[in-house]
Amino acid sequence: MTQSSIPPPRSQRMARLRAVLDALVMPESALRRQARAWLTSWPRFRKRLAPFLEAIPNAVVVVDREGRIAALNARTESWFGYAHDELIGKPVEVLLPADLRVNHVFLRQSFMQALAARPMGQGRELFACRKDGSEFPVEIGLNPLETRKGTMVLSSIIDISERKASEARFHAQAAQVAQASSYKSAFLANMSHELRTPLNSILLLSEHLCAAPQDNLLPKQLNYAQIIHQSGRDLLALIEDILDLSRIEAGKLDIHAEPLSPRELCHYLRRTFTPLAESHQLSLTCEVATAVPDTIVVDFKRLYQIVKNLFSNACKFTPANGQVAVRIDADPATLSIAVSDTGSGIPADKQAEIFDAFVQLDGTSSRRVSGCGLGLAIARQLAALLGGNLTVDSTVGQGSTFTLHLPLLTESAPRAAPHPLSDPLPPPPLADPSLLQTLAGRKVLLVDDEIRNIFAMTSLLEDAGLDVRVARNGQEALDAVRRQPEIELILMDMMLPLLDGYQATAILRSELHFSKPILALTALAMKGDREKCLAAGADAYLAKPVERQALLTLIGKMLR
């Protein structure tokens, strides 16, 4: 017996066996590579370890320097459908689809010239081919083996068919979700437009009636007009709530933080909420704790939307002669705004439900207050967008306290409070001589395809002294401008037949060189609609339904 054929001592063989067993739980470790090198060096040792290797869940193929299969495990036979003897000595390319075999020869030769371990999942994604010709995706890990027969490569193969199928299902579902979201956004945009269009004429005409001299209407008729107008505003608020909820769910609601004075905020809330509290015969208090810093950073618009909703609910559920209180407080990390009332309270088992959309505390047909149950759902989601949360503490028969908790963000150098907190200048009344003088006799073109809006808008504008011309689509608007160069301002609807408002505005600016003001007056009020109108060439944007006074004031500014 030669020295090379003498097996290693038993203690050495056991040590190597332990090393191999340890390596089985570390697939790409140096120990595993060493153990496999020993395995190919001693046939007896390989035979003893065969049961352990067969327990490896991967297919294992050993390939020599010429690319021939030198060894494989039973899982390889099972996955590929070959018997052991059908693969031994065959080129490893037999396990690949026919169209990949030629290229794989060059890849294999390149690997053999620069041997280095390649962990599982790195490199190109491959496909394997079974004996019956069916293909399946695989990942392959490669490890060089130094043996007495020369350098070989141990290939560990994983069938990733199920993972690929899961990924395909995931991508298909993601595409379906994206498509559903796109359909939902389109539906909401259309719904918003279709609801706002008739609301525009309802609100304009009812407001026009309410603003007319009272001797033109009987007291009862004036009351009818006021009820119609208020009902229209209530419907508009509901539309805005539904759209806000949809924007939040779609992640399309932007947050714009700005410096804000909490004490100015308190004054603003008191001024704004007092009329509503008085209409419900409630007393209102608003205070700021001394711990609150002079300046905070928050999105005022969303903050006000939350607090206004909480205050409105407090007024709804608090009987006459009750109290509503707003308190702003802070600790080192949190700003809190609590709205408390002395109303009916909320049962403990209902306090979680009231934050769900379309859920009402009293959903019976005999409920005392109206509403669709959107306000608190929107308020809580807005709170989350601002990085905080909304909680409730309530006792039946004693009242409720809703508290908005927000991260306390401050600035080292206080700046002026944002514009919304300043007392807005009241719009000039219709009888204001300067406004009427500005509007009197000015020639404007109203572009709209909705006959009800044409009637309402024409009545409003002519009563203000404007000289109104009408076009029913974008092409008629272009023709009107060509024929009537005296037109001084265009009120352009954007959704028009034949030629829409965007196209008509762009042509007016680029081809007809119309340099006079264009006001985009449209029921398109979703995110990005304003920017789209301005990009087309409009000077200003106003979403329908419009307020009579706001519209005339804006027209007056544009005509000065």
Side-chain angles (χ1 to χ4, degrees), residues 224-526:
Y224 292 162
Q226 292 170 342
I227 292 173
I228 292 171
H229 187 72
Q230 185 57 51
S231 298
R233 293 187 65 83
D234 291 343
L235 182 56
L236 177 61
L238 175 58
I239 294 171
E240 293 293 351
D241 280 349
I242 294 173
L243 293 178
D244 272 350
L245 185 64
S246 301
R247 292 185 191 109
I248 294 170
E249 290 177 349
K252 295 182 178 180
L253 202 66
D254 295 329
I255 299 299
H256 300 287
E258 56 189 343
L260 179 69
S261 165
R263 286 154 186 85
E264 284 297 316
L265 172 63
C266 184
H267 294 321
Y268 182 81
L269 296 177
R270 187 183 296 112
R271 292 192 304 269
T272 306
F273 293 159
T274 295
L276 180 59
E278 291 177 347
S279 69
H280 285 78
Q281 301 178 37
L282 304 174
S283 64
L284 168 66
T285 60
C286 186
E287 60 180 0
V288 182
T290 56
V292 179
D294 292 335
T295 303
I296 60 174
V297 177
V298 71
D299 186 321
F300 168 76
K301 180 179 179 182
R302 303 306 171 192
L303 173 64
Y304 177 71
Q305 189 174 353
I306 296 170
V307 178
K308 181 181 179 181
N309 180 277
L310 299 180
F311 180 79
S312 178
N313 275 356
C315 291
K316 280 184 182 180
F317 292 96
T318 304
N321 301 317
Q323 298 178 348
V324 179
V326 180
R327 178 176 172 81
I328 304 175
D329 206 342
D331 61 30
T334 306
L335 175 76
S336 61
I337 302 179
V339 179
S340 304
D341 63 63
T342 57
S344 55
I346 305 167
D349 60 342
K350 300 289 185 181
Q351 292 179 13
E353 296 179 14
I354 60 174
F355 292 104
D356 295 334
F358 303 106
V359 172
Q360 297 168 294
L361 182 60
D362 180 8
T364 65
S365 59
S366 61
R367 66 181 189 269
R368 294 187 301 109
V369 295
S370 62
C372 62
L374 280 177
L376 288 176
I378 294 173
R380 172 164 278 189
Q381 293 192 49
L382 286 174
L385 280 178
L386 295 176
N389 67 319
L390 185 61
T391 61
V392 60
D393 180 17
S394 183
T395 303
V396 174
Q398 297 183 22
S400 306
T401 297
F402 286 84
T403 306
L404 172 64
H405 306 274
L406 298 176
L408 181 59
L409 304 177
T410 61
E411 285 196 338
S412 56
R415 290 189 291 174
H419 175 71
L421 299 189
S422 304
D423 283 320
L425 293 174
L430 286 180
D432 180 13
S434 61
L435 178 59
L436 294 178
Q437 185 177 0
T438 300
L439 301 180
R442 307 297 288 273
K443 297 173 178 58
V444 300
L445 175 65
L446 174 65
V447 188
D448 203 314
D449 64 321
E450 168 59 51
I451 189 63
R452 293 168 296 183
N453 274 331
I454 292 174
F455 175 74
M457 291 292 297
T458 302
S459 300
L460 184 155
L461 298 174
E462 288 181 344
D463 282 355
L466 291 161
D467 182 357
V468 183
R469 293 94 190 276
V470 176
R472 299 292 297 273
N473 57 59
Q475 186 58 54
E476 288 187 12
L478 299 181
D479 295 339
V481 170
R482 290 189 183 100
R483 293 193 311 267
Q484 305 173 62
E486 68 273 16
I487 290 173
E488 301 176 76
L489 178 142
I490 298 176
L491 286 76
M492 179 73 73
D493 188 19
M494 306 313 285
M495 288 190 69
L496 298 168
L498 301 181
L499 189 69
D500 67 31
Y502 300 107
Q503 296 169 312
T505 300
I507 293 173
L508 283 167
R509 296 304 194 197
S510 61
E511 297 183 17
L512 302 188
H513 305 291
F514 184 82
S515 59
K516 298 169 185 176
I518 298 177
L519 170 58
L521 194 64
T522 175
L524 296 171
M526 300 296 284

Side-chain angles (χ1 to χ4, degrees), residues 178-196 239 242-243 245-247 249-250 252 358 495 523-526 529:
Q179 187 177 46
S181 177
S182 175
Y183 288 156
K184 179 180 178 181
S185 296
F187 169 77
L188 287 173
N190 288 332
M191 182 195 73
S192 173
H193 180 272
E194 295 306 314
L195 290 173
R196 287 172 180 275
I239 294 171
I242 294 173
L243 293 178
L245 185 64
S246 301
R247 292 185 191 109
E249 290 177 349
K252 295 182 178 180
F358 303 106
M495 288 190 69
L524 296 171
M526 300 296 284
D529 286 329

